[in-house]
Amino acid sequence: MIELSLGKTAPRLLEDLINYDPGRSRRDVLAGDAPKFIPLNPSLPGRITPDTCRHKFMDKSDQSLIPPLDLRPEPGAVYKVASFCNDCRCHLLLKIEYRGNIPDEVPCPNRDFPLHHFRHVPYKSTGRPVSTGNSPGDHWVEERVFECSSHVCSAVLTVTLSSPRLTPEYVALLTDKEMIAERVRRAEMDGLGRDWEDSEELVGPFEVLSRLRQYVSDAMRSLQKKRISVRNKKFASALGEDCRELLEFLGFTFDEAQEVWLLPEPDMSDGIPFNDPVKILLDDVEKELQLLLSKRPWAEYSRGKAVYFHPMPSYKILQRTLGCLDYDKRPSSRRQIDLTQDENPYYASLGALADFSDELLGFAYDRQRLCDPDNGPYYFECLRSLAEHRQSEPLSTKAAMLESQGQISSRDIAQAYEYFGLRADGSGMEDDYIIGTYKSRIADAPRQQTEMREKLRIIGQARRSEKIQYVASNTVTTYEQALTWLGADNQTADEFIVSLATIKLSEGKADEKIAREAVRIIADKRKSQGLKNWLKTGHTEEVDMDVGQAYSRLGIDDRTLDDDTILTTFSLRVEDEPEQLNELRAALKAIGKEKSSYKIESFLNTGKMSEQFSPDWPVGLENIGNTCYLNSLLQFYFTLKPLRDLILNFDHFKMEISPENIEKKKVGSRKVSRKEVERAQKFAYELQKLFRNLITARASAITPDYELARLTLISSMNEEHYRRMSMASVHGAPNLGEINGAPIQGPVGPPQLSSEMDIDVETPGEKPPETIHSDAGSDATLVGDVSDKVATHEEADFVMLDGDDTGSEPQVLGDKENHPPSINSILENPLPQDSQDSTPGGKGVPIEIEQINGAPPTPPAETTSYPPERPPPPVPPRPNSLETQKPRGELEMGAQQDVTEVIANVLFQLECAIKATGFEADGEQVDQIKQLFYGKTKSYINKPGEALRVKEEFFADIKVDVAAGPRDIYSALDGAFDQQQIDVDETTALQFHSISHNPPVLQIQVQRVQFDKAKNTPYKADSHLALEKVIFLDRYMDSDDPVLMSKREKSWQWKEELMRLEWRKRELMQTEAR
């Protein structure tokens, strides 16, 4: 999970950078979160110690690239400021990069964000390495990365601090007088003597530093490289053999043959700013040598050769680079700031400075509150206290407005706990204990009820406890509030609801009305006749259920399942059908009684399943309606790393919308409009927002946005269709307003075209099955529309069209009462000859690889097809009520889509949103989505008297079914790739498929909804499909190996013979009725 710190404004970050001394600071003031200030305990941990270096950064102009004045940074711009401290000689490199990966980027500062607000990114940063101490040349480097929290600014700040190049050991070599004197004595013993232009004084630190600085300067600027002989008197006295390690560290090389030192060789073609590491090293060392020289005592200067080193301070340059030069300050700070007074610690908590104007301080509060909502009360306390401290009317007004909106401060929370005699932090206390304390106090002092409820409300808000807040409000209006007030949950049985309500009633008359109202709300939500009876008569009862009926009600075919699986299935059913809790519990009770299961009985007795949440678990998704499979799809896409990386970095893959690109855009064998591309890119950004929330959210589950659900479930054509529905009713008249509350309707218009009239896609001579829509449960939404249109072999290149259900009365698909077809319907045509057998699976085996020129079903283009001429329509009926004229909501309409259609819509939109990496011969776009999800199959058609036909096509999924009963995955896959008889040009031919290219992500769709031709009704096949951890597809791969092909042909012959024998067995077992 990505970790981000709370954040701080750019001026605060610069101030903390100046005060950050890695060797002496007690805490990480640069990247660490500011400690909370508690007025009752004013000692702050980690305050800056007196010996901490408050850096005086000086500019290294040859290594810097600063932004121009009064110009907003362009996306992609990179600026850097190199500095060194004039006191401790540490080095700083501050680099800010505007990555330009945000649409419509407006870098800070701007109208809404007057300053950068940076948040530390720990996983991109490196801490201070531990020095090994193996050599004096060891030094540390610390890098911290920050990102601007603005949604319209892509600034990434990298702060690199490093120790001085010249370590204390090196400085001692150059400045220790005894060590220098020893080098001079050795030079004299070697016959070199002292030759400092007739100077009578010994060589001192000033001469040594000057000599080394001259060598470094020559190496950086002289084109003619000097050689320094070890016999050189000045060199031997100043540096000599003692400084060999230092010289080698600086890049000097020693020529053993000639006994000379060669100067370092930086890249002389390297311009400003320096990028050559050797040049940067020499420039740093030169600055340090000049600084050391400037700090030497005046008495060491020889013959007036004083060094005047006055580097330019880089504070203003750093402010300019961070976009905070001349930021708005409070009027008093423009006059004078008393540096002897400690800064109020609340400023650091808000990531601000004491000289901020009131507006900037309010901005800093808003950013901290948004970045860290859990600590909102503390930040509000900071704002309120600073408003009092500064005597600021604007800040006091802002605090008062926030307080009127329900915002509480940490001081309010502490006072609320103290009011009830509880610990101020509230740690180690359960909600029930706090509620019990409140009730005991209110019983003793009923006249203080209003004040006590307000204190309890503050505690409930601070703990985010709905239970405490509901008790404080003393109202119950929703199903969730009713459960919480009674101390129940969604899985608590009716008899336990009654028990909890009885306890509440026994506590006093004050709770009687609320308790009965809570039970009434629960009874209405669950449609529980038992609870309604209890409200009327005080009695409830539970109906026993047959074991077979119980298994069927829970949708369990295998009675050998273990208790945990049964309980999990029960929980899923309750989640999908909460209003049927009593019936589901009756089914579970019957199963537990039949199995004599202690675990099931214990679960029924407690009324709860134990739930434990770990922060290490993945973040879940809340159900936003009758769309259970939507969350499954979104989580499935999130787990695919290539797709997740593409979405999180969508700007890198996003297609630029231009006439040329739109003209070339072809997805799913058709052209794509500009409007569809814009819609698809909006979908990609919504998906990106969800993925980021799944990475950063601290909760156990989050709720997908409505807009993401709408774009996922509803294709562009359905969206346009819904828009038309919302503007005109099928049978209704236009509403012209109302008089005295009564609607006025205009004349009823002509009947609107139904989906059956919009586009005729029926196969000639064949009546399509009825369209089935149901909103009764999530099972219906999972399988969606079962009125699949079937194309002949000649019509294999088709586009699936979404139907409309406004023209017919919807039928409800039962949950478990539908039964598989009889053996007569399964074996009605053992060797089918229908034209639809051109798709893998054939008529007898309804398994197919759905493909359109090799692509999956693609949402159609935004065009309108007009129906052929028909007889005049009948006189339209008048509506019975206005309620029947209301079209279904978009999300409800989208929930009726088949999951396969939704997957096709997602892949289609992602392909529309991104740029192509190539194109097929027919102009079809090739991209990362196609490379990830799409494979290729080869279709072989063997027609007598003709050469073998081979056609290679894309596919995105393999469809399998369990219509004939339980089967394993290989039996199901065989149906998609086995040889089938098909009709080609009124001639029987043989066809089979092979996989020529497997996609990295192979999707297998289990088609649960089937159609029983004997009964002319659809049904849901609930039989088990056995899966393997590893599925071997080698038997289905396209290969030139004759052995593999011969095995496949032999297998087909056996299966054909087995089907004939089964048909013959059925024929022999039939007897005529007498």
Side-chain angles (χ1 to χ4, degrees):
M1 180 177 292
I2 295 177
E3 296 181 2
L4 294 173
S5 65
L6 305 183
K8 58 186 69 177
T9 60
R12 180 81 234 179
L13 186 143
L14 182 55
E15 177 69 14
D16 290 344
L17 178 60
I18 291 173
N19 289 320
Y20 181 52
D21 189 346
R24 300 182 182 91
S25 296
R26 294 181 182 176
R27 63 180 178 88
D28 187 354
V29 297
L30 177 60
D33 297 334
K36 289 185 179 181
F37 174 66
I38 303 175
L40 299 179
N41 182 20
S43 60
L44 273 178
R47 284 195 175 188
I48 299 172
T49 57
D51 60 337
T52 298
C53 178
R54 180 173 170 83
H55 301 301
K56 299 176 183 177
F57 286 120
M58 302 296 167
D59 183 35
K60 294 189 290 188
S61 57
D62 290 342
Q63 300 181 36
S64 301
L65 177 63
I66 61 177
L69 280 172
D70 301 326
L71 287 179
R72 188 181 301 278
E74 295 291 335
V78 179
Y79 304 109
K80 59 182 180 179
V81 179
S83 306
F84 67 96
C85 178
N86 201 51
D87 290 336
C88 69
R89 294 186 291 111
C90 74
H91 294 269
L92 165 69
L93 177 62
L94 186 144
K95 183 176 73 172
I96 188 167
E97 177 182 1
Y98 297 88
R99 296 187 175 179
N101 57 351
I102 297 178
D104 303 324
E105 178 175 357
V106 184
C108 301
N110 54 53
R111 184 184 62 182
D112 297 325
F113 290 83
L115 292 172
H116 283 296
H117 182 264
F118 289 111
R119 301 180 70 187
H120 181 227
V121 187
Y123 78 97
K124 292 184 180 180
S125 305
T126 58
R128 175 180 175 179
V130 178
S131 176
T132 60
N134 293 331
S135 67
D138 288 346
H139 68 284
W140 52 264
V141 177
E142 184 173 334
E143 182 176 278
R144 300 300 178 97
V145 179
F146 302 82
E147 293 180 354
C148 183
S149 67
S150 169
H151 63 282
V152 294
C153 180
S154 63
V156 176
L157 177 70
T158 304
V159 177
T160 305
L161 282 167
S162 59
S163 60
R165 300 284 194 169
L166 298 176
T167 64
E169 292 82 356
Y170 289 154
V171 174
L173 281 172
L174 300 174
T175 59
D176 187 278
K177 294 183 178 181
E178 292 185 1
M179 299 176 71
I180 296 173
E182 180 62 27
R183 286 199 292 272
V184 172
R185 284 193 293 270
R186 282 202 301 267
E188 291 176 349
M189 292 175 62
D190 292 339
L192 301 179
R194 296 197 306 266
D195 186 6
W196 290 88
E197 300 179 0
D198 300 327
S199 174
E200 295 296 333
E201 296 180 3
L202 294 175
V203 179
F206 183 86
E207 289 79 12
V208 175
L209 293 170
S210 299
R211 179 59 51 185
L212 182 57
R213 188 188 72 82
Q214 186 62 49
Y215 292 153
V216 171
S217 178
D218 290 344
M220 290 181 60
R221 298 171 179 85
S222 177
L223 297 178
Q224 296 181 351
K225 300 302 180 184
K226 295 182 179 179
R227 297 186 175 190
I228 308 171
S229 172
V230 295
R231 307 293 296 173
N232 182 288
K233 298 178 181 179
K234 293 182 179 180
F235 172 80
S237 299
L239 300 173
E241 184 64 21
D242 290 353
C243 297
R244 172 184 286 270
E245 182 180 311
L246 170 60
L247 295 175
E248 290 177 346
F249 168 71
L250 297 179
F252 289 74
T253 56
F254 184 64
D255 187 338
E256 297 284 353
Q258 301 185 22
E259 293 188 335
V260 295
W261 281 96
L262 305 178
L263 298 184
E265 297 184 3
D267 182 3
M268 302 304 294
S269 64
D270 184 30
I272 297 174
F274 293 162
N275 291 308
D276 178 30
V278 177
K279 217 168 192 180
I280 293 175
L281 170 63
L282 295 178
D283 187 50
D284 289 349
V285 171
E286 184 180 32
K287 296 290 190 300
E288 292 188 32
L289 290 172
Q290 289 176 319
L291 184 60
L292 291 172
L293 281 168
S294 67
K295 294 182 181 295
R296 297 307 302 172
W298 182 262
E300 292 185 7
Y301 292 1
S302 61
R303 290 200 295 263
K305 293 182 180 180
V307 176
Y308 298 98
F309 180 54
H310 299 291
M312 178 183 296
S314 60
Y315 183 73
K316 291 289 185 181
I317 301 174
L318 291 168
Q319 283 187 316
R320 177 173 159 186
T321 305
L322 292 176
C324 59
L325 184 64
D326 297 328
Y327 60 86
D328 191 19
K329 301 178 176 64
R330 55 187 299 205
S332 61
S333 68
R334 296 194 184 104
R335 295 193 299 269
Q336 184 178 4
I337 299 178
D338 187 358
L339 297 179
T340 63
Q341 297 293 325
D342 287 342
E343 180 191 59
N344 191 313
Y346 285 138
Y347 286 112
S349 297
L350 294 181
L353 291 178
D355 64 354
F356 271 23
S357 67
D358 292 339
E359 290 75 16
L360 279 187
L361 196 58
F363 164 77
Y365 163 77
D366 291 337
R367 296 312 300 167
Q368 292 293 72
R369 180 71 177 81
L370 184 65
C371 293
D372 184 23
D374 290 342
N375 287 311
Y378 173 67
Y379 299 130
F380 184 61
E381 177 65 27
C382 295
L383 179 69
R384 197 164 63 176
S385 297
L386 289 176
E388 297 172 1
H389 176 73
R390 295 161 66 109
Q391 298 181 355
S392 166
E393 182 177 349
L395 290 180
S396 298
T397 302
K398 181 181 180 70
M401 290 181 60
L402 291 171
E403 190 170 10
S404 68
Q405 296 169 4
Q407 181 62 52
I408 57 177
S409 70
S410 55
R411 187 194 312 173
D412 297 332
I413 298 171
Q415 290 175 350
Y417 278 113
E418 292 172 359
Y419 183 88
F420 292 111
L422 304 174
R423 287 192 300 273
D425 58 356
S427 60
M429 288 179 283
E430 299 291 338
D431 289 352
D432 291 336
Y433 177 79
I434 296 174
I435 294 173
T437 303
Y438 156 77
K439 290 183 177 180
S440 64
R441 290 293 184 90
I442 206 170
D444 295 336
R447 293 185 178 182
Q448 299 178 10
Q449 182 177 14
T450 302
E451 183 180 3
M452 289 186 185
R453 288 193 185 279
E454 176 61 19
K455 298 297 184 183
L456 186 66
R457 181 195 67 80
I458 293 174
I459 294 175
Q461 183 176 343
R463 297 170 67 95
R464 296 185 178 181
S465 170
E466 292 187 2
K467 188 173 185 179
I468 293 180
Q469 292 185 68
Y470 294 152
V471 173
S473 63
N474 202 34
T475 58
V476 173
T477 58
T478 67
Y479 177 67
E480 291 74 16
Q481 290 177 0
L483 291 174
T484 302
W485 192 85
L486 289 174
D489 60 24
N490 199 35
Q491 295 180 348
T492 304
D494 284 356
E495 59 266 29
F496 290 102
I497 295 291
V498 171
S499 300
L500 293 171
T502 303
I503 295 173
K504 290 288 186 181
L505 291 173
S506 66
E507 292 177 353
K509 293 203 176 279
D511 290 335
E512 179 177 355
K513 183 178 179 180
I514 303 176
R516 297 187 67 84
E517 178 65 14
V519 174
R520 186 196 64 77
I521 292 173
I522 296 172
D524 290 344
K525 175 67 175 179
R526 296 182 177 182
K527 299 178 181 179
S528 169
Q529 191 60 44
L531 289 179
K532 293 179 180 179
N533 290 339
W534 180 82
L535 288 171
K536 293 179 180 179
T537 66
H539 300 283
T540 184
E541 57 187 60
E542 187 176 19
V543 181
D544 291 336
M545 184 181 293
D546 178 71
V547 175
Q549 184 184 3
Y551 276 106
S552 177
R553 182 64 186 87
L554 293 183
I556 299 175
D557 294 329
D558 185 1
R559 297 195 181 187
T560 63
L561 293 179
D562 59 85
D563 293 349
D564 289 332
T565 305
I566 293 174
L567 289 174
T568 300
T569 304
F570 168 79
S571 299
L572 293 174
R573 293 296 180 194
V574 170
E575 182 179 347
D576 291 339
E577 306 173 72
E579 67 280 358
Q580 301 297 326
L581 175 63
N582 288 335
E583 185 180 352
L584 294 170
R585 278 186 58 85
L588 183 63
K589 181 178 181 180
I591 294 174
K593 184 176 181 181
E594 190 266 343
K595 291 171 64 73
S596 299
S597 170
Y598 172 78
K599 181 175 289 187
I600 294 178
E601 180 183 357
S602 175
F603 168 77
L604 290 168
N605 290 334
T606 59
K608 297 182 180 181
M609 288 187 65
S610 59
E611 296 180 358
Q612 297 180 352
F613 171 72
S614 168
D616 297 330
W617 289 2
V619 176
L621 294 178
E622 298 284 358
N623 199 337
I624 61 174
N626 197 20
T627 55
C628 63
Y629 69 90
L630 169 64
N631 288 353
S632 300
L633 279 179
L634 295 176
Q635 289 170 319
F636 161 63
Y637 290 133
F638 180 72
T639 59
L640 300 177
K641 188 178 186 304
L643 179 61
R644 184 170 70 246
D645 292 342
L646 184 147
I647 295 299
L648 292 176
N649 301 281
F650 173 65
D651 291 294
H652 178 70
F653 303 95
K654 177 181 177 182
M655 187 193 81
E656 180 183 356
I657 300 179
S658 65
E660 296 79 12
N661 289 339
I662 297 296
E663 179 64 27
K664 292 189 298 182
K665 196 76 171 179
K666 186 177 182 181
V667 178
S669 301
R670 71 168 178 83
K671 292 288 187 180
V672 178
S673 68
R674 178 189 182 97
K675 184 177 179 181
E676 287 177 302
V677 173
E678 291 173 344
R679 184 184 193 272
Q681 292 182 350
K682 180 180 179 182
F683 165 72
Y685 279 119
E686 290 291 334
L687 195 59
Q688 183 186 75
K689 182 165 64 174
L690 175 72
F691 283 7
R692 287 177 175 173
N693 287 339
L694 287 172
I695 294 173
T696 60
R698 298 182 180 180
S700 61
I702 61 175
T703 303
D705 287 349
Y706 172 88
E707 184 66 10
L708 174 61
R710 187 183 70 83
L711 294 173
T712 305
L713 294 173
I714 304 174
S715 65
S716 56
M717 179 184 177
N718 279 344
E719 185 177 51
E720 181 64 21
H721 174 63
Y722 177 77
R723 187 188 66 80
R724 294 196 299 269
M725 289 175 60
S726 65
M727 296 176 62
S729 174
V730 176
H731 301 300
N735 191 335
L736 304 180
E738 59 181 40
I739 296 178
N740 296 329
I744 306 172
Q745 294 184 345
V748 177
Q752 303 299 314
L753 298 177
S754 65
S755 62
E756 289 79 13
M757 297 171 62
D758 285 342
I759 302 175
D760 187 4
V761 295
E762 295 182 14
T763 304
E766 184 176 349
K767 180 181 179 181
E770 292 183 358
T771 300
I772 296 180
H773 293 289
S774 172
D775 227 4
S778 61
D779 284 343
T781 63
L782 181 61
V783 298
D785 192 347
V786 299
S787 59
D788 297 327
K789 308 296 187 293
V790 182
T792 62
H793 177 68
E794 291 78 5
E795 299 169 337
D797 298 336
F798 65 92
V799 175
M800 180 177 289
L801 301 177
D802 298 309
D804 183 16
D805 65 347
T806 56
S808 61
E809 188 70 24
Q811 298 181 4
V812 178
L813 178 64
D815 190 18
K816 299 300 175 188
E817 291 74 20
N818 299 293
H819 301 287
S822 62
I823 190 65
N824 294 330
S825 63
I826 296 178
L827 300 176
E828 183 178 22
N829 294 306
L831 296 175
Q833 303 293 329
D834 291 348
S835 62
Q836 67 203 56
D837 290 347
S838 60
T839 58
K843 183 175 180 180
V845 186
I847 307 170
E848 59 185 48
I849 301 178
E850 197 162 294
Q851 46 199 6
I852 307 170
N853 280 349
T858 305
E862 295 180 86
T863 59
T864 304
S865 300
Y866 296 94
E869 295 184 3
R870 297 190 179 186
V875 178
R878 293 291 180 178
N880 295 328
S881 66
L882 290 175
E883 189 65 27
T884 61
Q885 301 177 29
K886 297 180 180 179
R888 292 178 304 169
E890 279 186 288
L891 197 58
E892 181 182 357
M893 177 182 177
Q896 300 299 325
Q897 301 301 308
D898 184 87
V899 64
T900 307
E901 294 173 337
V902 176
I903 291 176
N905 182 42
V906 170
L907 298 184
F908 172 74
Q909 290 192 95
L910 290 178
E911 285 200 85
C912 289
I914 63 177
K915 53 192 174 185
T917 59
F919 298 93
E920 294 285 330
D922 60 353
E924 177 75 10
Q925 172 175 306
V926 178
D927 49 55
Q928 289 82 359
I929 298 299
K930 210 171 236 78
Q931 294 166 355
L932 183 61
F933 290 99
Y934 290 65
K936 285 189 176 182
T937 61
K938 282 188 178 179
S939 172
Y940 293 88
I941 299 178
N942 191 358
K943 182 180 178 182
E946 293 186 2
L948 183 66
R949 299 184 188 180
V950 181
K951 184 179 181 181
E952 189 173 39
E953 300 174 313
F954 280 110
F955 77 94
D957 55 47
I958 302 175
K959 292 183 173 57
V960 300
D961 78 282
V962 288
R967 63 199 310 186
D968 60 59
I969 185 63
Y970 292 109
S971 299
L973 288 173
D974 285 347
F977 297 99
D978 281 355
Q979 182 173 267
Q980 308 287 340
Q981 290 186 353
I982 63 172
D983 184 40
V984 179
D985 301 331
E986 299 182 354
T987 304
T988 300
L990 296 176
Q991 181 191 45
F992 70 91
H993 291 78
S994 297
I995 301 176
S996 56
H997 170 67
N998 251 328
V1001 178
L1002 177 63
Q1003 301 181 98
I1004 299 178
Q1005 302 285 351
V1006 183
Q1007 293 186 306
R1008 293 287 182 182
V1009 174
Q1010 302 294 325
F1011 191 81
D1012 189 343
K1013 295 190 293 288
K1015 298 179 181 179
N1016 198 32
T1017 58
Y1019 70 94
K1020 182 180 178 185
D1022 288 322
S1023 297
H1024 179 63
L1025 178 66
L1027 300 177
E1028 303 286 344
K1029 289 186 178 180
V1030 179
I1031 302 176
F1032 296 94
L1033 297 177
D1034 50 347
R1035 67 189 72 180
Y1036 309 117
M1037 299 301 297
D1038 192 66
S1039 173
D1040 296 331
D1041 185 0
V1043 176
L1044 178 60
M1045 192 61 206
S1046 108
K1047 289 183 177 180
R1048 292 187 71 179
E1049 291 174 347
K1050 193 68 174 177
S1051 172
W1052 296 337
Q1053 293 173 8
W1054 289 341
K1055 291 178 182 178
E1056 182 178 350
E1057 182 64 22
L1058 180 61
M1059 184 175 288
R1060 292 185 184 276
L1061 291 174
E1062 289 176 345
W1063 174 260
R1064 179 59 178 161
K1065 177 182 177 182
R1066 172 181 172 273
E1067 194 176 50
L1068 292 174
M1069 293 180 66
Q1070 286 181 339
T1071 57
E1072 297 181 0
R1074 297 184 182 275

